[in-house]
Amino acid sequence: MTKKPEKPAAGTRVLKTRIKKKSGLKESSRRWLERHMNDPYVQRSKADGYRSRAAYKLIEIDDRHHLLKPGLRVIDLGAAPGGWCQVAAARTKSTPENPHVVGIDYLGMDPVPGAPVLEMDFLDDEAPAKLIEMLGGEPDLVLSDMAAPTTGHRRTDHLRTMHLCEVAADFAISVLKPGGHFLAKTFQGGTEGELLTRLKQNFRSVHHVKPPASRDESAELYLLAKDFKG
Ligand SMILES: C[S@@+](CC[C@H](N)C(=O)[O-])C[C@H]1O[C@@H](n2cnc3c(N)ncnc32)[C@H](O)[C@@H]1O
């Protein structure tokens, strides 16, 4: 079990890294960097050897919902820089000799032992078949943490990430083993009515989850669809 990094006790003085306003950075970038440097999950991911703070989102969801078990086959969509691959490979006991976690991202990343990653756009027509070929069969679990690159226009960013979530859901419905699960990043207030209906038709339970590692101020949310009807 993992615990949310603790908030300091009331009255405790916390040393905060500050970046000067005259640093030459755009104000939004300066604030992002300052928040990143002071984020306890970022500090903990460095200490624990995870590639990203996102690793804790999967850890927290899995501690609660028990998706990852030794031997299960997993596909990780939007894998870079590899935090979820690290968690999935460790919890399914996937090894370089017998990998049963496979990822995809159009960004290159350092290899994760036990989780080969296809460097390709998931929206490419050939990507689904390649993933199944690499995995050597149907997955028990499809994960998607895919997020479209931000444009600065919030609504556009949400719509593009929602589209990725819908394509990921179509993929999961077409490849999952009966009884399998689907976990994907989405956004609060996203245009997800139809998607929810389709998931409810195909899975025995569907709900939203917001792990503690997902920042409160972020509209990010995860859709968890369990027990694929097949
Ligand atoms: C939030 S990051 C994933 C972090 C990852 N779960 C981890 O723990 O390190 C989102 C990723 O989705 C990838 N992505 C977005 N659209 C994609 C697409 N069409 N095909 C493949 N990867 C995509 C991005 O390149 C980015 O690396």
Side-chain angles (χ1 to χ4, degrees):
M1 277 285 196
T2 54
K3 278 171 41 197
K4 188 171 181 170
E6 280 170 23
K7 285 197 179 144
T12 313
R13 232 179 124 226
V14 183
L15 272 181
K16 238 183 131 191
T17 307
R18 296 207 182 274
I19 299 172
K20 286 187 181 146
K21 295 215 167 167
K22 288 180 187 158
S23 60
L25 291 170
K26 254 173 65 184
E27 179 54 16
S28 56
S29 311
R30 189 192 68 78
R31 267 189 277 121
W32 182 91
L33 197 61
E34 201 170 83
R35 193 182 59 186
H36 185 78
M37 289 168 81
N38 291 299
D39 183 333
Y41 279 104
V42 172
Q43 290 158 2
R44 195 163 125 197
S45 62
K46 289 202 178 102
D48 292 349
Y50 286 119
R51 305 272 178 87
S52 60
R53 76 184 293 294
Y56 296 101
K57 299 177 195 172
L58 181 58
I59 289 172
E60 289 168 353
I61 293 172
D62 188 50
D63 282 348
R64 186 134 192 213
H65 297 278
H66 313 292
L67 309 173
L68 295 161
K69 301 201 168 81
L72 291 191
R73 285 193 181 145
V74 182
I75 292 184
D76 179 18
L77 309 173
W84 282 28
C85 279
Q86 288 177 295
V87 174
R91 293 194 171 194
T92 61
K93 304 205 183 303
S94 183
T95 60
E97 299 73 36
N98 179 23
H100 36 92
V101 174
V102 164
I104 182 169
D105 206 296
Y106 48 49
L107 297 181
M109 58 181 253
D110 290 336
V112 173
V117 173
L118 181 62
E119 193 175 326
M120 190 172 188
D121 188 337
F122 176 63
L123 299 178
D124 186 315
D125 287 346
E126 291 176 14
K130 286 205 167 165
L131 284 168
I132 299 300
E133 189 191 323
M134 273 171 78
L135 192 63
E138 297 165 325
D140 301 280
L141 178 61
V142 172
L143 305 172
S144 170
D145 198 21
M146 283 189 291
T150 46
T151 59
H153 186 262
R154 207 176 147 99
R155 176 112 185 103
T156 307
D157 295 343
H158 284 200
L159 287 172
R160 289 167 68 193
T161 295
M162 282 311 302
H163 175 63
L164 291 169
C165 181
E166 281 163 16
V167 182
D170 285 342
F171 172 68
I173 289 167
S174 65
V175 298
L176 271 175
K177 275 189 206 159
H181 311 310
F182 171 61
L183 172 70
K185 189 202 285 290
T186 179
F187 283 112
Q188 273 156 15
T191 48
E192 39 181 289
E194 263 180 50
L195 173 61
L196 274 182
T197 308
R198 196 142 36 91
L199 289 174
K200 283 178 183 162
Q201 282 163 352
N202 285 282
F203 292 83
R204 294 214 157 72
S205 85
V206 180
H207 40 247
H208 286 107
V209 287
K210 175 95 174 163
S214 179
R215 294 186 172 103
D216 291 342
E217 65 274 24
S218 158
E220 173 188 79
L221 204 60
Y222 288 85
L223 257 178
L224 176 59
K226 288 179 88 173
D227 207 355
F228 180 54
K229 294 177 188 168

